[in-house]
Amino acid sequence: MSSESLVRPGLTTRFTGSLPEIKLRLRKKVPKLTANDVRRARIPYYEAIASELYEAGYVSAAFLLLHLIEYEDAYVGRTSYAAVESRRLQNDEMLLNPLCDSLARAENWKAERQYVREVGELLAIARRLEPVREKRWLARQFFCIALDRCADCDGPERVKAQSLVRYYYGKFLIDLRQHLEAMKLLEQADEELGSVSPEEIDSWETLEEDGERLSIAINTLLFVSNCKLAEELRGSPKWIAEQYIKDAHKAALKSLYTLSSIMARSYQAYGEFLCDKGCHEEALEMYRNALQQAELDGELPELAVSVALAQAKSYHRLSQAVKRDAMLHRVDRMTKSNENSLNRAHYYLVAATLQQQDAKEDANKMAQLLTHLRLAASIFERFRQRASALEARCLEGLLRAEPLFAEYAILLPRAISTSDGALYRVIDRVGF
């Protein structure tokens, strides 16, 4: 992604001048920050770091520090609470002390034409700033700077450096719920990885201590961003959401042999989309694959139950009662060990919804079904899932009242034609 449209102060901007001019620029910005005296405490701190960098010959780094005051003023709201401003100053000290050294190292690497190391230093700065909410705007600037500086890297090293920056920048954007921009970045990273031999990229990992393969990590985030976009666009024309679902599934397939959980969720999401379109046979195939992947993982009981219940619903819509009941029986076995779990409650509710017609012909089955609905509602309420609890309560009430509707329909016309008293007696008798 080109970041030319973004503000990118610092290492990509040339600046020539002298230390007095830097200090003059800084002092000119002080009036902007006079909301209270404590806020101004940051000014000499920025100035000291900028002066130190400039005197050491790191002109670009010093210029970047000049922008901090202006950006701080624009992005961080003023407050009249001295304690808040004091905390911000302490945060600045903790962040900017290492920033000074990191900027110096980055400029050294650039001077020595060690561009991959320069990019690594800039990426480290962005990742260090990212967790602090007040500094996320600055983290974004460093992600953009790091992405720009990848241009001077060569060959596979450039692909690796650029893919790492795009991965962490994409992760950052997903946290900010900017899924479309993240998806575009990650797609570019995935496409570039395809230009390098598989043997080489197999050894590339993310930067955490227990880092995972970079290609897998990128496709995992691609799956997440595409799924989020599909959710956000449910109200749009179906072909738009379908494209994001397909792209999410494509990303998940690339992690087929390592992340069963991703595959299971992908198959389930695709199945749900097909089900909404009325393609129940195709949805069943997706659900079968999802259930297989969830069971392979072994640590996804909630997902396995959810997929199995979705499969039962599809069988019901296809009027395949035997297969539906077999799947419900399977879920019964899966959830029986914990009678008070959410999984069990979902089983009770779905089973009652799908089997209510059969239960109407058997009083014992209906009594059991009503008992299960009460249990489900109780469990949902305990877990504060009010919508599901209300659904269970309403279904129980409707099923309990349904036989009385027939009696009411028979007696009502006769009572109306007799007298008001007869009508009231019918109402009292039926119980409405």
Side-chain angles (χ1 to χ4, degrees), residues 329-348:
H329 186 60
R330 182 175 178 178
V331 179
D332 183 26
R333 293 197 308 271
M334 291 164 68
T335 59
K336 205 164 192 175
S337 60
N338 191 347
E339 287 285 344
N340 295 313
S341 67
L342 273 175
N343 284 341
R344 190 66 172 171
H346 284 297
Y347 160 69
Y348 283 148

Side-chain angles (χ1 to χ4, degrees), residues 2-136:
S2 173
S3 54
E4 290 178 0
S5 60
L6 299 172
V7 179
R8 305 187 311 284
L11 299 178
T12 57
T13 308
R14 292 186 61 80
F15 175 76
T16 56
S18 62
L19 183 57
E21 288 173 339
I22 289 178
K23 291 183 177 180
L24 180 62
R25 282 171 174 256
L26 283 163
R27 290 192 181 104
K28 282 182 178 179
K29 297 179 187 296
V30 171
K32 293 184 179 181
L33 307 176
T34 55
N36 58 68
D37 292 335
V38 182
R39 188 179 181 87
R40 292 177 60 184
R42 284 198 289 278
I43 306 305
Y45 195 75
Y46 288 127
E47 180 179 350
I49 294 176
S51 299
E52 183 180 338
L53 287 167
Y54 187 86
E55 288 170 345
Y58 304 117
V59 178
S60 297
F63 184 62
L64 174 60
L65 264 295
L66 294 178
H67 290 262
L68 284 176
I69 299 170
E70 184 178 351
Y71 286 158
E72 190 88 8
D73 186 50
Y75 285 88
V76 181
R78 290 183 173 88
T79 174
S80 58
Y81 294 103
V84 174
E85 289 296 332
S86 179
R87 177 177 59 80
R88 286 178 178 172
L89 177 59
Q90 290 172 1
N91 285 341
D92 281 347
E93 290 175 356
M94 289 186 289
L95 288 168
L96 295 178
N97 274 331
L99 178 61
C100 179
D101 296 333
S102 297
L103 286 171
R105 284 195 298 271
E107 198 156 342
N108 268 334
W109 292 127
K110 184 179 180 182
E112 295 175 11
R113 298 180 180 274
Q114 297 284 329
Y115 300 122
V116 173
R117 292 187 174 184
E118 179 199 356
V119 170
E121 200 70 56
L122 294 168
L123 178 58
I125 294 172
R127 293 179 64 209
R128 187 161 57 243
L129 293 168
E130 181 184 347
V132 183
R133 186 173 60 84
E134 289 93 345
K135 289 291 183 284
R136 282 196 150 194

Side-chain angles (χ1 to χ4, degrees), residues 278-338:
C279 305
H280 299 297
E281 290 286 0
E282 294 87 343
L284 275 171
E285 186 61 33
M286 291 295 156
Y287 289 145
R288 290 188 195 102
N289 291 331
L291 188 55
Q292 182 183 23
Q293 292 294 328
E295 290 177 337
L296 274 175
D297 187 280
E299 297 182 1
L300 300 169
E302 292 85 3
L303 183 59
V305 168
S306 174
V307 172
L309 290 175
Q311 205 168 337
K313 291 176 186 176
S314 289
Y315 282 131
H316 182 75
R317 292 187 179 102
L318 291 169
S319 301
Q320 298 181 13
V322 175
K323 291 183 178 180
R324 176 203 68 192
D325 292 343
M327 186 55 64
L328 288 173
H329 186 60
R330 182 175 178 178
V331 179
D332 183 26
R333 293 197 308 271
M334 291 164 68
T335 59
K336 205 164 192 175
S337 60
N338 191 347

